[in-house]
Amino acid sequence: MPPPAASSSTVPAPSGVAPAGPEPSSRPERLTPAAAGVAAGAVTLGVAELLAAAWTSWLGSVGTPSPLLAVGGAFVDRTPPWLKDWAVATFGTADKLALGIGMGLVLTLVCAGLGVLAARRRTAGLSGFALVGVVGVAAVLSRSGAAPLDLVPTGLGVLAGTWVLSELLQRHTALTRGADPSTGTAGSHPSRRVAAGSAPSRRSLLATAGGLTVLGALGVVAGQALAGAGRAAQAVARAVSLPAPRRRVTVPAGAASDVPGHSAYLTPNESFYRIDTALRVPRVDPAEWRLRVTGLVDQEVEITYEDLLAEEHVEALVTLTCVSNQVGGDLVGNARWQGWPVRELLARAGVRPEADMVLSRSVDGWTAGTPLEVLTDDRDALIAVAMNGEPLPPEHGFPVRLVVPGLYGYVSATKWVTELKVTRFDADEGYWTPRGWAERGPIKTASRIDVPRARDAVGPGEVTVAGVAWAQHRGVTAVEVRVDDGPWQEAQLLEEPSVDAWRLWRWTWPDATTGEHVLSVRATDGAGEVQTDLPAPPAPDGASGWHTVRVSVG
Ligand SMILES: Nc1nc2c(c(=O)[nH]1)N[C@H]1C(S)=C(S)[C@@H](COP(=O)(O)O)O[C@H]1N2
Ligand SMILES: [Mo]
């Protein structure tokens, strides 16, 4: 509805001159209720997160009593592929931090809005606030491993927050009325009443709300820190002593490169990419850990960590790749893994002939659906306990994960694995499949230029170009580089100790001429198949296309 013509009396003041009339908006009237709403939200979360830390650390809750982590986790579970793509492309492995900041902003706005609503219509506002609490409780109860007791932290937090909100608003109302006893007098702008009558009390009310907000935020930070510190997984991980593998692998010197900026053949554990849906790294005590083989088997089998360490282990060089990796991206890493072949455990259980898939499940309920044949053929599909000679780091799956050569991580590389359900593709599906990702995820042949990097200044003259190429389980038999639209030139391949791992390559650009140039790369796999130039986004089954780098020479 258009404003009545009379409202044009609020002529904007010339810049630098304060308006002469009443304050231009009812902002001060809304500020206090909004601040009260934010304070109530902060107190809710502060109380809930502190209690959740106690639940996790001392009550040993295996669910997600933290409402922030539960809501965040539920959100992650419902992320459509385009959003996951965008988030990974934009934030990379900082996607969890970005999610946290986004949730903080949304919650602040919602709480501020509910505060304003509650100042006008108390019941509606407080009910809205409680409703947000119910969403939190529902999220907590929906997480894997949730027990009824897990709702207590969020429930008590919401009670505390609702009380704070109604208490602050009551004072706010008292102020508003107290400033002008003739409430409802026409012509007296409400904000003016307050501003004129009780600026100091308003200020102290705002200060109280601000103080409560800070306290609440501190509670959240302390809660997260305490929950983290209460986890012993890291210490335990360091204490584990690994058995000697039956077969060891060594990396020949000829597989690695000394070109500055070139990928290391083995990616150090600290810099290995991490992708998972776990907002907090699961804590798994190896003494409690079990791996169960269930489903279409002759007999169910359950093994302990000790049992697993007593089996004959092998080592294997396997390059993991995330299906979300963009062309030229870095969601790929190579490691020396140690573990027990999956096929030996499956053989012990006796797989029924009608089975064609293994649904592996992690302690936090995440699942991957892996074709049975890649777990039973002669490749090194491992129940892995070590990465580059160290027990698995907690964020890479301690104590036990799966590593399967040739498949993207989302259909194979289950971290914190606790169950292998032998099943069928037409009966079960992995976590990402109903979310828009392909049922099967063999890794596409790919190559990447590491140096020079985009927009590096190089040359003129001789320029070293170097990078990696991967076609897991098929191997890389050729890499070619091209300058602008020139002919493809054969790159020098470094040694390939395993077809399951990436291969480093380099090429000397003999005569780089001044100006802008585009370098392109493509690989050929062990079957003689040349990497496709057809560009495809990561969803649904992995990106494709040639990696190009624009450099300026001179
Ligand atoms: N439990 C669990 N395991 C998981 C995932 C997960 O979300 N949860 N993500 C998978 C995906 S998508 C990838 S790419 C690899 C990444 O393994 P990394 O973090 O050790 O590099 O782990 C896989 N294993
Ligand atoms: Mo992934």
Side-chain angles (χ1 to χ4, degrees), residues 156-512:
L156 289 181
V158 171
L159 283 183
T162 315
W163 180 77
V164 163
L165 184 57
S166 81
E167 203 49 33
L168 289 177
L169 287 179
Q170 214 159 316
R171 288 207 228 163
H172 167 72
T173 313
L175 267 182
T176 321
R177 295 228 178 88
D180 182 2
S182 60
T183 312
T185 308
S188 160
H189 192 283
S191 67
R192 206 175 186 197
R193 272 181 266 149
V194 176
S198 49
S201 330
R202 160 194 295 289
R203 228 171 283 140
S204 87
L205 188 50
L206 275 175
T208 307
L212 285 171
T213 304
V214 170
L215 274 181
L218 285 177
V220 170
V221 171
Q224 295 289 333
L226 282 175
R231 294 172 308 143
Q234 244 126 344
V236 181
R238 266 181 251 112
V240 165
S241 73
L242 298 167
R246 142 164 63 102
R247 162 159 59 80
R248 282 197 184 279
V249 295
T250 46
V251 178
S257 160
D258 51 12
V259 174
H262 204 178
S263 294
Y265 180 76
L266 289 177
T267 313
N269 292 358
E270 307 73 56
S271 47
F272 207 97
Y273 82 95
R274 173 191 165 200
I275 291 286
D276 54 59
T277 58
L279 294 180
R280 180 177 288 153
V281 176
R283 163 185 59 160
V284 181
D285 180 350
E288 313 257 290
W289 177 87
R290 298 287 184 277
L291 178 59
R292 298 195 311 130
V293 186
T294 63
L296 302 172
V297 290
D298 296 334
Q299 78 248 0
E300 296 202 348
V301 174
E302 184 178 281
I303 60 166
T304 66
Y305 190 61
E306 214 179 317
D307 296 336
L308 177 58
L309 294 189
E311 297 297 341
E312 287 215 16
H313 286 201
V314 299
E315 278 187 327
L317 297 166
V318 180
T319 296
L320 288 192
T321 311
C322 183
V323 69
S324 295
N325 193 43
Q326 304 274 352
V327 170
D330 55 8
L331 299 180
V332 53
N334 187 36
R336 180 165 52 91
W337 307 93
Q338 174 184 328
W340 185 38
V342 183
R343 82 179 89 80
E344 295 187 21
L345 177 59
L346 290 178
R348 193 166 294 176
V351 172
R352 300 255 190 84
E354 66 269 30
D356 65 3
M357 188 252 256
V358 171
L359 190 77
S360 51
R361 183 181 298 276
S362 69
V363 68
D364 61 351
W366 187 87
T367 54
T370 310
L372 183 64
E373 70 262 20
V374 304
L375 298 175
T376 48
D377 67 14
D378 62 358
R379 81 184 73 197
D380 291 315
L382 299 181
I383 305 167
V385 297
M387 182 178 184
N388 291 325
E390 300 283 329
L392 294 175
E395 57 274 21
H396 294 291
F398 181 81
V400 181
R401 76 174 304 169
L402 295 185
V403 171
V404 182
L407 302 190
Y408 287 118
Y410 82 106
V411 286
S412 68
T414 307
K415 305 191 269 191
W416 317 289
V417 65
T418 58
E419 185 192 351
L420 303 181
K421 179 185 180 194
V422 179
T423 177
R424 297 180 51 82
F425 275 106
D426 59 21
D428 276 298
E429 53 187 0
Y431 179 92
W432 284 110
T433 302
R435 293 170 173 83
W437 298 82
E439 186 174 81
R440 291 169 197 252
I443 298 175
K444 297 179 179 176
T445 300
S447 50
R448 183 181 79 196
I449 299 170
D450 290 342
V451 279
R453 305 202 309 181
R455 284 176 289 279
D456 266 2
V458 295
E462 214 176 80
V463 172
T464 299
V465 181
V468 286
W470 60 86
Q472 286 91 322
H473 209 57
R474 302 183 296 279
V476 171
T477 51
V479 170
E480 296 161 288
V481 180
R482 180 175 77 167
V483 180
D484 301 321
D485 291 326
W488 286 101
Q489 321 239 15
E490 197 83 17
Q492 178 206 343
L493 293 174
L494 279 69
E495 272 184 60
E496 186 181 60
S498 166
V499 291
D500 295 334
W502 64 15
R503 187 163 198 178
L504 275 60
W505 57 266
R506 62 179 163 231
W507 178 70
T508 306
W509 183 4
D511 52 354

